[in-house]
Amino acid sequence: MPTVSMAQALNTALRDALRDDERVLVFGEDVGPLGGVFRITDGLTRDFGEERCFDTPLAESGIVGLAVGMAMGGFRPVVEMQFDAFAYPAFEQIASHVAKLRNRTRGRLALPMVIRVPYAGGIGGVEHHCDSSEAYYAHTPGLKVVTPATPEDAYWLLRDAIADPDPVVFLEPKKLYWAKAEAALERRAAAPFGRAVVRRPGRDATLVAYGPSVPVALEAASAAAEDGLDLEVVDLRTIVPFDDETVAASVRRTGRCVVVQEAQGFAGVGAEIAARVQERCFHSLAAPVLRVAGFDIPYPPPKLEHVHLPGVDRILDAVDRLQFDDRPDVRHLSRGAA
Amino acid sequence: MSTKTSAKAVRELLPSPAPIRFVDESGTAVKAPAGYAIPPDELLREAYRWMVVGRRFDTQATALTKQGRLAVYPSSRGQEACQVGGVLALRERDWLFPTYRDSVALVARGLDPVEVLTLLRGDWHCGYDPAATRVAPQCTPLATQVLHATGMAEALRRKGEDGVAMAFVGDGGTSEGDFHEALNFAAVLKAPVVFFVQNNKYAISVPLAKQSAAPALAYKGVGYGVPAEQVDGNDLVAVLSVLGAAVEHARSGRGPFLVEAHTYRMDAHTNADDAGRYRDDDEVRRWAGADPVRRLETYLRGRGLLTDDDVESARTQGETFAAGLRARMNADTEPDLLEIFDHVYAEPTPQLLEQREQLRAELNAQES
Ligand SMILES: Cc1ncc(C[n+]2csc(CCOP(=O)(O)OP(=O)(O)O)c2C)c(N)n1
Ligand SMILES: [Mg+2]
């Protein structure tokens, strides 16, 4: 199996989609001759022509609104938002139209389009370049929300997203762009769209993660193994649709659960997961479901991001609090009493 | 390297300083404006019939709202020349991107009036089939539809269809970012789209003077390289002539075109609005003197294109239309409550299926 980076896998997915379906178009800011600021669209204009991959004027609402009209007109636009925080001007188009058109037309119009967003931190980016914006999209009915953690998933999930009859917000963890791994891009081994996978089986507790947090969770599981704890790691892959079945089955097996996300914790995707696990697995749980998340602050500057991002230690600390010794975790209580 | 702007290139983008007009308020023909042709007689007669029917539809919809049959109705009374002129300038293969105010335009496009009023009746979908009618769902988030029209126009161009997209938008809507982004994108892409601004002088309560300092809204085109024209929006002959030329411009591959029509919203913003708080009756009375339906009638009679019989037959057609609408809107319908889960995605997610089951159980429990 070849070893590729996530960036290469995404580029190959776009190429193969452009080759296989003439309705597919790629457009956005600097995606043409430059190949995008992260080079994900590298060479596409050269190889497929300006008609298939092109630079647009600089306006995100314009890009998404144009894509809506083109998708209504029979094309399958794959648009790039340059960075997470620069997708916000398009939010009205996304929330009011991209997400709702099928419903507003009683299913008569579909919007097969993909909005690719390089997202999240860990690359030493300056302000407005590191937001974890998944909760905004996941909270919007009508959108599918995807975030890959491996090059192989990046390829197949992007192919799936482009082929999907519904609009997909495709969140690409920037810090994983250059991470390499063996990947089967020729023949599919990846799990189906909408299914989570167990990245590492374990007996003692489940770590639920997605996108940029998956490698961190795996690292934490390796470290815990040295201490004799056997952690299972579930990678969601698609936040919407959410795979309750795989997550709940894992937690019922292990009886303990920590949800890991890079985004600020309050009202985040992790809160939703914790609630769902509790609702479904209450009688299997030996401890409360814990969350490990970013702090509830605007994304911090490069010198401070290491204290903000949930790392191995913070995950292991949470695992420690899963009451393996049968003593309740009273940290919140004692703080209230002080 | 020269960076000088060509004065000629700028002039070609500018609208006429005064709105194009063929017929004055009294219904008398004025000196024909240069560069525009009077539309064919039969088209003018058809426009008249639709304006009469459209107005009757509009007053009927307002009445139905007062009776609680519609949740809300934004009337376009007084704007019939725009509503009908905009639609008659298009062919069947062209796409229309209307706003919430443009129900009369949809009726003139031949859509079933009950389907047109589906959303305003309080349902969750637009009622008609946008793919079959080539009419996008009526759009409420202001100016967002202008981008969709641009995207559709670009799609039509790429597919080699000689179709055109037309976006309706209000004077207030031209302040929204999406309006500007759409003009810019359309000009750069040379997309065959016509932007049709119905300047009815108010955005809910806010008058034009507080909305824009542009000499006229049509001047918003020049900065983007979009040619523009302004027209007397209560003169059907002028609206149809100018929009016909704009559509032809787009269809022939010369890119987008912007038309501003000066008109007036005779009723309040919607039935829920109190226009007395921001405009006086004198102003409304003055505009009543510029009524587009009467103006066209007088003009067509003067040219011998309309007889008493024609006028009476249009009136009867309007009454029949309104009676049919009344009867159908007064029939209670049973919405399929469980369908609200069906079109969120192509296939409902497992979670939506669960919620569907939950609602079904709740409904069953209520029945028994
Ligand atoms: C983005 C957005 N902001 C605010 C509103 C609320 N709103 C509905 S209609 C309207 C006034 C629009 O005025 P105009 O564009 O002139 O159209 P008109 O109603 O006069 O036809 C406003 C503010 C909205 N629908 N969308
Ligand atoms: Mg207005």
Side-chain angles (χ1 to χ4, degrees), chain A residues 51 54 57 59 61-62 65-66 69-70 73 92-93 97 102-104 106 108 142-143 166 240 242 244 276 280, chain B residues 124-128 137-138 141 144 147-148 151-152 158-159 178 181 184-185 339 343-346 351 354:
Chain A
E51 277 288 296
F54 54 96
S61 190
L66 187 83
M70 295 194 77
E92 183 190 26
Q93 285 288 346
H97 292 296
R102 177 184 289 282
N103 199 61
R104 292 173 68 230
R106 205 179 190 177
R108 281 154 172 157
L143 300 177
D166 289 314
V240 181
F242 185 80
D244 276 311
R276 303 187 81 83
R280 284 164 180 73
Chain B
W124 49 269
H125 60 82
C126 70
Y128 50 89
Q138 287 181 275
T144 53
L147 279 166
H148 307 160
M152 176 59 80
R158 282 168 176 265
K159 289 190 290 189
D178 278 5
E181 296 187 18
N184 191 41
F185 274 62
E339 202 190 337
H343 308 292
V344 183
Y345 299 97
Q351 290 78 13
E354 271 174 31

Side-chain angles (χ1 to χ4, degrees), chain A residues 49-261:
Chain A
E50 177 109 54
E51 277 288 296
R52 307 290 306 284
C53 174
F54 54 96
D55 290 325
T56 63
L58 217 170
E60 293 74 15
S61 190
I63 292 167
V64 173
L66 187 83
V68 169
M70 295 194 77
M72 285 170 75
F75 286 91
R76 290 183 168 253
V78 182
V79 302
E80 176 172 306
M81 301 282 102
Q82 202 156 63
F83 282 88
D84 33 57
F86 306 137
Y88 299 149
F91 197 73
E92 183 190 26
Q93 285 288 346
I94 295 174
S96 294
H97 292 296
V98 175
K100 291 180 184 163
L101 193 78
R102 177 184 289 282
N103 199 61
R104 292 173 68 230
T105 61
R106 205 179 190 177
R108 281 154 172 157
L109 288 186
L111 273 191
M113 58 183 278
V114 178
I115 302 172
R116 294 182 36 246
V117 189
Y119 92 121
I123 57 159
V126 293
E127 62 168 356
H128 309 302
H129 290 74
C130 292
D131 281 13
S132 286
S133 37
E134 69 269 20
Y136 305 132
Y137 304 114
H139 195 61
T140 306
L143 300 177
K144 292 179 177 171
V145 184
V146 179
T147 177
T150 69
E152 185 168 301
D153 260 1
Y155 178 87
W156 289 107
L157 289 174
L158 185 53
R159 294 298 308 267
D160 290 346
I162 295 170
D164 203 279
D166 289 314
V168 177
V169 176
F170 194 89
L171 301 167
E172 302 170 359
K174 287 191 282 279
K175 73 167 190 196
L176 300 184
Y177 271 153
W178 306 284
K180 292 194 169 189
E182 285 194 341
L185 307 189
E186 300 284 319
R187 184 169 302 179
R188 185 171 191 136
F193 191 89
R195 296 315 299 246
V197 297
V198 174
R199 287 274 172 229
R200 173 193 172 111
R203 283 186 320 257
D204 296 332
T206 300
L207 302 180
V208 180
Y210 54 88
S213 298
V214 173
V216 188
L218 287 169
E219 221 184 302
S222 300
E226 287 167 25
D227 291 342
L229 265 184
D230 189 15
L231 301 184
E232 179 147 307
V233 176
V234 174
D235 173 2
L236 291 182
R237 304 168 75 244
T238 64
I239 298 174
V240 181
F242 185 80
D243 184 357
D244 276 311
E245 211 177 296
T246 301
V247 172
S250 169
V251 176
R252 283 192 196 109
R253 271 196 309 274
T254 62
R256 289 176 169 83
C257 179
V258 175
V259 183
V260 187
Q261 72 176 39

Side-chain angles (χ1 to χ4, degrees), chain B residues 79 100-101 169-173 198-204 206 208 211 265 269:
Chain B
Q79 300 179 211
Y100 51 88
R101 188 162 314 282
V169 63
D171 45 300
Q198 290 178 87
N199 174 0
N200 63 8
K201 307 299 178 289
Y202 288 91
I204 307 186
V206 178
L208 190 64
Q211 196 64 248
R265 191 193 78 206
H269 172 67

